[in-house]
Amino acid sequence: MKQEGGLSWVEALCMLGLAYALVFGIAVVLAGPLSFDKTLLFWLTTFIQQVILLALVAFMLHRNGLSWRSIGLRRISARTAMRSIAAGGLIVIAMGGFIQLINLFLPKGLPAQNVEAFFHMGSPRLAFALSFFLMVIMAPLVEEVFFRGYLYHALADRLTPQLAMLITGLIFGLVHGDIYRLLPLAVGGYLLNLIAVREESILASMLAHATWNAVMLFVAFGTMS
């Protein structure tokens, strides 16, 4: 499961499970005795979950004597950055096609995504600012560090790169908790992995991921106005 001095996919999944378990416990306390507003609770627990997962990755790397470079966190050139942003735009187009195809088989269309709870928090400006922070900054940072970084490299130590990318993409789709969008999200995760592997840096997939989420965010707020 782990080569000496290497990464373990079992430890990676345990980290993911621990992050979700801790956040679930926090949510129960905040929603119960403290009676937090549901939208605020969703925002706060999402942020806490991201911080916990990032902290767990940092802890495991330190414990194993590994650097961030070992999971693909390397500098990229300006040209690579531009390619990555363009690739993120292509992922948006591909995901849009997927969603339209799924809608053909659902008479009432796809239900709203759970992240749309962010859009109804306080004033429109506050909702947009918080949504931008979580979706365009935090999510690409944390999810790329964990999925295309730690988990992928742990799986790639034991499997072929293609199989490691497929499994990572599937888990990425599953943890979003949206059964209707599972396949598009899994494909999106796989494409992000391709970008990270091709450019030899998860900074590239972070930029692509941020572009994907940013376009979705602007479109969502645009349709609400």
Side-chain angles (χ1 to χ4, degrees), residues 183-196:
L183 183 57
L185 286 168
V187 172
Y190 176 81
L191 293 175
L192 289 172
N193 232 138
L194 280 177
I195 294 168

Side-chain angles (χ1 to χ4, degrees), residues 41-58:
L41 178 64
F42 187 61
W43 187 93
L44 186 60
T45 53
T46 300
F47 174 70
I48 292 173
Q49 178 183 301
Q50 291 170 338
V51 172
I52 290 174
L53 193 55
L54 189 60
L56 287 172
V57 171

Side-chain angles (χ1 to χ4, degrees), residues 15 32 39 66 78 87 89 104 130 140 151 168 195:
M15 285 192 292
T39 303
L66 298 170
L104 292 176
L130 292 176
L151 180 59
T168 302
I195 294 168

Side-chain angles (χ1 to χ4, degrees), residues 172-191:
F172 175 75
L174 286 169
V175 299
H176 281 78
D178 189 336
I179 190 64
Y180 296 101
R181 295 174 176 85
L182 171 59
L183 183 57
L185 286 168
V187 172
Y190 176 81
L191 293 175

Side-chain angles (χ1 to χ4, degrees), residues 95-150:
M95 293 303 100
F98 253 116
I99 297 302
Q100 291 302 317
L101 185 61
I102 293 173
N103 274 324
L104 292 176
F105 298 94
L106 296 174
K108 296 183 180 180
L110 282 167
Q113 291 180 277
N114 51 8
V115 294
E116 290 186 21
F118 299 150
F119 306 163
H120 306 288
M121 188 174 187
S123 69
R125 288 184 179 180
L126 175 61
F128 182 84
L130 292 176
S131 301
F132 188 91
F133 175 69
L134 282 178
M135 294 177 62
V136 183
I137 298 175
M138 287 298 293
L141 168 64
V142 177
E143 291 177 4
E144 294 312 303
V145 162
F146 180 77
F147 289 103
R148 263 59 68 178
Y150 200 103

